Amino acid sequence: MASSSAYTPTLTITPDTVIRRERRLPLPGEVRVAVGEVVSAEQIVAATALPGRVSALNVARELNLPPAEIERWMVKHPGDPVAHNEVLAEYKSFFGFFKAQALSPTTGTLEAISAVTGQALVRGPALPVELSAYVSGAVVEIVPQESVTIECRCALLQGILGVGGEAHGPLAVLGERADQGFSADEISDAHAGCVVVSGTPLDWALLERLREVGAAAVVVGAMPAADLDRLLGAPLGVAITGQERLGLTVVLTEGFGSLPMAEETFALLRSRNGAAAAVNGATQIRAGVLRPEVIIPLSGKTEAAPPASTAGLAVGSRIRLVRDPYFGRLGHVSELPSRPEAIPTEAEVRVLRARLDDGEEVTVPRANVELIER
């Protein structure tokens, strides 16, 4: 069994599971919660401060002195707080009739002065960093000054591709069917702060309208690749996404083009319409798979969740085809031949036979499918 699924990527779409999410500070700081504490998604669980930006001032030039002589004329010294345009150094000559001053380029702290270069370094105010819980749940582990791990029982939906960072908001599902189309005119101020769900592909007019009203995120089946590049301002690269500042997080559940959202995916989201959701568009394909996700906490459920399926690829497994000519189509595995078979390219590879949702029977390389875990 292990050999049949060794190279099969897995996509999780489940109405009930338990997940853990680690929240890690970029630098040592303060953890503000304790193990066992129940937290909300937007609650701050840890905080730190990043060092401020350093600004350099050539004091020797400002005072018209050799670098070796500036220390005796410094008014401020390393470690002293300074304000913007406050005097750092002052040179007086001829009984004070002539003087020159060096003024701080920014508010902050005088960090260092150099008798070699004649420069003074002023570090700006520290930049506060606060980490929210991201998901509602219980704190199950902390590493003092470093991280918090939160456990959440939830409905979980992983997408194919996303852009934009973490977002929160109530689900606002458009329509009753995945193939029901919408126009930008149907988006109103009522969608501000919402995670909007549409089964039909996202066009540019709808995207612009969602950003205009202040939607937190949009989850759709697909969108044209050209529109995604237009949104990003450049062609999509192969690095990790999720750091973009787009005013809206976007999650695609099927891919590019005109693919509608899978009916079971849409049904899951519609069944939780109005519920609070956490969304993250971060995606990484290479060097470790990271998928965009929609997390919908299951309020009031404290008993253990049903065990997740670990069977791997098997007869009856739900799959999605990820290569042409069947790209995006769904079905179930009907047979797993044990021996490699020849495909149209004349290569001999391990294949599977599947019955697609429309009844068509196909034979495809196992590398061309994605396992949908529920």
Side-chain angles (χ1 to χ4, degrees), residues 227-359:
D227 283 349
L228 181 61
D229 290 346
R230 183 179 176 185
L231 175 66
L232 295 173
L236 181 68
V238 296
I240 186 171
T241 71
Q243 302 300 314
E244 305 85 2
R245 297 183 179 274
L246 307 173
L248 183 73
T249 295
V250 179
V251 173
L252 309 180
T253 64
E254 314 303 318
F256 294 118
S258 58
L259 295 171
M261 186 179 292
E263 285 290 348
E264 53 261 54
T265 302
F266 184 81
L268 171 57
L269 291 168
R270 180 161 178 73
S271 71
R272 301 292 296 158
N273 193 25
V279 180
N280 192 348
T283 309
Q284 180 170 290
I285 304 302
R286 300 181 179 181
V289 174
L290 178 64
R291 293 189 181 274
E293 62 184 10
V294 181
I295 298 170
I296 312 164
L298 300 177
S299 302
K301 292 202 173 186
T302 56
E303 68 276 15
S309 171
T310 57
L313 194 62
V315 172
S317 293
R318 184 67 165 158
I319 58 170
R320 182 201 311 273
L321 280 68
V322 296
R323 296 287 187 277
D324 286 336
Y326 308 109
F327 179 78
R329 296 175 67 178
L330 301 171
H332 290 85
V333 176
S334 56
E335 185 182 348
L336 289 169
S338 59
R339 295 179 178 275
E341 295 185 10
I343 59 175
T345 63
E346 299 185 3
E348 289 197 355
V349 298
R350 302 194 71 188
V351 301
L352 60 79
R353 289 183 241 288
R355 183 177 181 84
L356 303 184
D357 287 355
D358 62 1

Side-chain angles (χ1 to χ4, degrees), residues 174-182 198-201 260-263 266:
L174 302 178
E176 299 180 359
R177 305 186 317 275
D179 61 356
Q180 186 175 345
F182 290 90
S198 173
T200 53
M261 186 179 292
E263 285 290 348
F266 184 81

Side-chain angles (χ1 to χ4, degrees), residues 26-293:
L27 291 174
E30 173 192 10
V31 171
R32 297 182 178 178
V33 292
V35 172
E37 186 173 341
V38 176
V39 296
S40 62
E42 297 184 353
Q43 181 176 337
I44 302 302
V45 297
T48 188
L50 299 178
R53 180 180 177 182
V54 173
S55 298
L57 176 69
N58 193 319
V59 176
R61 183 177 60 198
E62 295 294 317
L63 301 185
N64 196 25
L65 291 173
E69 295 184 20
I70 66 170
E71 284 196 58
R72 62 177 293 200
W73 302 104
M74 295 297 299
V75 176
K76 296 289 186 176
H77 303 282
D80 289 349
V82 297
H84 183 226
N85 284 335
E86 186 175 0
V87 176
L88 297 182
E90 185 175 63
Y91 171 69
K92 297 179 180 180
S93 64
F94 293 101
F95 305 101
F97 288 111
F98 299 99
K99 67 180 180 180
Q101 294 179 327
L103 306 181
S104 175
T106 187
T107 296
T109 303
L110 180 60
E111 188 160 281
I113 56 174
S114 172
V116 176
T117 66
Q119 290 192 328
L121 302 181
V122 180
R123 186 175 294 279
L127 306 175
V129 174
E130 293 183 324
L131 281 184
S132 68
Y134 174 51
V135 294
S136 299
V139 178
V140 293
E141 182 181 352
I142 64 170
V143 177
Q145 300 184 327
E146 293 185 15
S147 67
V148 176
T149 300
I150 298 158
E151 185 175 274
C152 172
R153 185 170 179 185
C154 63
L156 173 65
L157 183 153
Q158 291 181 323
I160 298 296
L161 177 71
V163 291
E166 296 173 1
H168 301 88
L171 286 176
V173 181
L174 302 178
E176 299 180 359
R177 305 186 317 275
D179 61 356
Q180 186 175 345
F182 290 90
S183 69
D185 295 337
E186 296 175 74
I187 302 299
S188 70
D189 291 341
H191 293 100
C194 291
V195 176
V196 178
V197 177
S198 173
T200 53
L202 179 66
D203 61 34
W204 186 256
L206 187 57
L207 178 64
E208 283 285 84
R209 180 59 178 156
L210 288 167
R211 291 204 292 179
E212 180 183 329
V213 302
V218 59
V219 182
V220 295
M223 70 182 295
D227 283 349
L228 181 61
D229 290 346
R230 183 179 176 185
L231 175 66
L232 295 173
L236 181 68
V238 296
I240 186 171
T241 71
Q243 302 300 314
E244 305 85 2
R245 297 183 179 274
L246 307 173
L248 183 73
T249 295
V250 179
V251 173
L252 309 180
T253 64
E254 314 303 318
F256 294 118
S258 58
L259 295 171
M261 186 179 292
E263 285 290 348
E264 53 261 54
T265 302
F266 184 81
L268 171 57
L269 291 168
R270 180 161 178 73
S271 71
R272 301 292 296 158
N273 193 25
V279 180
N280 192 348
T283 309
Q284 180 170 290
I285 304 302
R286 300 181 179 181
V289 174
L290 178 64
R291 293 189 181 274
E293 62 184 10

